[in-house]
Amino acid sequence: EQKEQLLVVRKETMSAVQMIKKEVKVLEAEIIEAMVDGEEPKNVYSKVSQVAKLKAEATRVHLNCIADTISILSEEQLEFILPFWDF
């Protein structure tokens, strides 16, 4: 049952993050193109803000993934995987 729950968490996390990543990639390309074309930096500030919001959303998705994973695993399992988590 744990494995099924963890797979659901993983699938939801990966799906959400991939969607965000695609949006960020498009916005970043638009920002670069605008700057190369000689646009004023202030003309891309709104896109920079959109990128920041999307990256914050991706962080929230990851935090929810961690919280869900912690709630599914036992203390013993958490102690085992803790050294492998990057902080």
Side-chain angles (χ1 to χ4, degrees):
E1 185 178 321
Q2 273 184 324
K3 185 175 181 178
E4 291 171 13
Q5 291 174 323
L6 290 170
L7 287 173
V8 168
V9 169
R10 183 179 189 277
K11 182 180 176 184
E12 290 173 354
T13 301
M14 295 301 290
S15 174
V17 170
Q18 286 174 349
M19 285 178 28
I20 292 169
K21 184 178 178 180
K22 286 178 186 176
E23 290 181 61
V24 167
K25 192 172 184 173
V26 168
L27 287 167
E28 287 178 338
E30 290 173 358
I31 292 167
I32 291 168
E33 184 177 343
M35 296 308 301
V36 169
D37 289 346
E39 290 280 337
E40 291 291 322
K42 65 181 177 182
N43 293 340
V44 296
Y45 286 172
S46 65
K47 290 184 184 198
V48 171
S49 294
Q50 286 177 287
V51 169
K53 287 178 186 176
L54 287 167
K55 288 184 177 186
E57 179 61 27
T59 299
R60 286 190 285 274
V61 169
H62 281 116
L63 291 173
N64 288 333
C65 174
I66 292 168
D68 292 343
T69 300
I70 288 170
S71 71
I72 293 167
L73 297 178
S74 69
E75 281 294 320
E76 184 178 321
Q77 290 168 319
L78 287 171
E79 287 176 18
F80 178 79
I81 67 167
L82 191 61
F84 300 104
W85 281 5
D86 268 342
F87 291 105

